[in-house]
């Protein structure tokens, strides 16, 4: 899923902060035990998410798509002391693994892990968010964006993963999944309520700042 070669990716990880032992453990367990382990954010993207979070010092974070909790913990690193991160996922099969990892983290008490359909659970949250990270079922990126937009404060950021879709967005003839990604990207490009840019990190991170 990375858009750069392995040698350059290795170099990038040499020039950023290291993973702590818990993140290394989650990465190993994900690759050993979970289907589609490539969905994990991983070292470099995790440090990007951590850096963005620390720059903002968020009091409230929403993550749509927990997977095995790697990105969750990276984002949590920037939380204020009284901050809270809500992470939503539909995969109950990973619950025990995710909760066990969170329990080993210093941010455990600041994370609310909510299982269920995100299109339903988002509506249960009565919060205004400083950061939203969307990394779930890609066909619903636009739906989630619309649902959370009014819940993001002015100056807050929305981050959306996988917006370059392994480079397939460059293809003239696109399959359904790629068309969905392109349609979402076009939607953001045309939204004058926000400032935006795509970072070519891993599979593409759309960083969107609400005006």
């Amino acid at each position: 899923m990375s858009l750069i070669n392995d040698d350059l990716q290795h170099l990038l990880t040499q020039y950023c902060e290291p993973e702590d032992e818990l993140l290394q453990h989650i990465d190993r367990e994900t690759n050993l035990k979970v289907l589609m382990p490539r969905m994990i954010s991983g070292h470099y993207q995790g440090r990007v998410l951590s850096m963005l979070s620390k720059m903002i010092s968020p009091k409230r974070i929403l993550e749509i798509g927990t997977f095995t909790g790697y990105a969750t913990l990276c984002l949590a690193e920037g939380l204020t002391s009284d901050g809270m991160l809500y992470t939503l996922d539909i995969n109950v099969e990973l619950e025990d693994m995710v909760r066990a990892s969170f329990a080993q983290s210093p941010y455990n008490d600041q994370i609310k892990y909510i299982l269920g359909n995100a299109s339903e659970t988002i509506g249960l949250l009565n919060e205004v968010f400083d950061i939203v990270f969307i990394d779930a079922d890609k066909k619903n990126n636009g739906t989630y964006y619309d649902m959370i937009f009014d819940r993001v404060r002015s100056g807050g950021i929305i981050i959306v993963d996988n917006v370059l879709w392994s480079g397939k967005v460059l293809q003239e003839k696109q399959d359904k999944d790629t068309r969905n990604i392109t349609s979402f990207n076009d939607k953001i490009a045309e939204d004058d309520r926000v400032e935006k840019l795509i970072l070519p990190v891993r599979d593409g991170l759309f960083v969107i700042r609400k005006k």
Side-chain angles (χ1 to χ4, degrees):
M1 293 174 69
S2 178
L3 298 170
I4 61 176
N5 66 44
D6 291 343
D7 289 339
L8 185 53
Q9 186 65 49
H10 179 70
L11 180 69
L12 290 174
T13 60
Q14 300 306 302
Y15 285 94
C16 70
E17 294 297 302
E19 295 173 295
D20 64 27
E21 291 184 4
L22 178 55
L23 291 175
Q24 291 176 16
H25 171 76
I26 294 171
D27 192 291
R28 285 194 303 270
E29 291 291 288
T30 301
N31 279 280
L32 287 171
K33 300 178 180 180
V34 180
L35 292 175
M36 299 179 69
R38 66 183 183 277
M39 291 170 57
I40 195 169
S41 287
H43 184 181
Y44 185 70
Q45 181 170 305
R47 292 305 88 206
V48 172
L49 294 174
S50 172
M51 181 73 77
L52 290 171
S53 184
K54 289 174 179 175
M55 286 177 170
I56 291 175
S57 296
K59 188 171 183 178
R60 293 291 184 268
I61 300 174
L62 173 62
E63 178 185 44
I64 305 173
T66 313
F67 193 44
T68 54
Y70 189 103
T72 316
L73 295 179
C74 294
L75 288 165
E77 292 175 19
L79 281 170
T80 59
S81 59
D82 60 345
M84 186 66 64
L85 186 157
Y86 297 84
T87 183
L88 315 179
D89 206 276
I90 199 168
N91 191 345
V92 296
E93 294 181 0
L94 293 176
E95 180 180 7
D96 290 345
M97 178 180 178
V98 172
R99 291 196 186 280
S101 294
F102 289 168
Q104 298 177 61
S105 165
Y107 309 107
N108 183 51
D109 293 340
Q110 293 180 276
I111 297 173
K112 291 189 180 297
Y113 177 42
I114 301 170
L115 289 166
N117 189 317
S119 62
E120 299 171 0
T121 55
I122 289 171
L124 303 176
L125 304 177
N126 184 25
E127 298 280 8
V128 175
F129 295 101
D130 304 292
I131 298 177
V132 176
F133 181 43
I134 301 175
D135 187 17
D137 50 323
K138 308 308 170 185
K139 68 180 181 296
N140 282 317
N141 279 349
T143 299
Y144 298 141
Y145 180 82
D146 291 338
M147 290 184 72
I148 58 89
F149 191 85
D150 290 340
R151 298 165 181 255
V152 178
R153 69 165 173 85
S154 177
I157 62 172
I158 303 165
I159 307 167
V160 186
D161 200 6
N162 304 110
V163 295
L164 296 180
W165 209 232
S166 300
K168 293 180 182 179
V169 291
L170 291 172
Q171 298 174 351
E172 290 188 15
K173 293 184 178 180
Q174 298 182 353
D175 58 30
K176 183 178 179 181
D177 290 338
T178 307
R179 287 197 304 272
N180 283 334
I181 299 292
T182 297
S183 294
F184 175 76
N185 293 347
D186 290 343
K187 173 187 177 77
I188 302 306
E190 295 166 4
D191 191 343
D192 60 8
R193 301 171 299 173
V194 299
E195 301 169 87
K196 55 273 185 178
L197 59 81
I198 293 178
L199 297 178
V201 173
R202 195 164 162 268
D203 198 28
L205 285 176
F206 221 141
V207 181
I208 305 157
R209 179 184 180 272
K210 185 174 179 179
K211 293 179 181 178

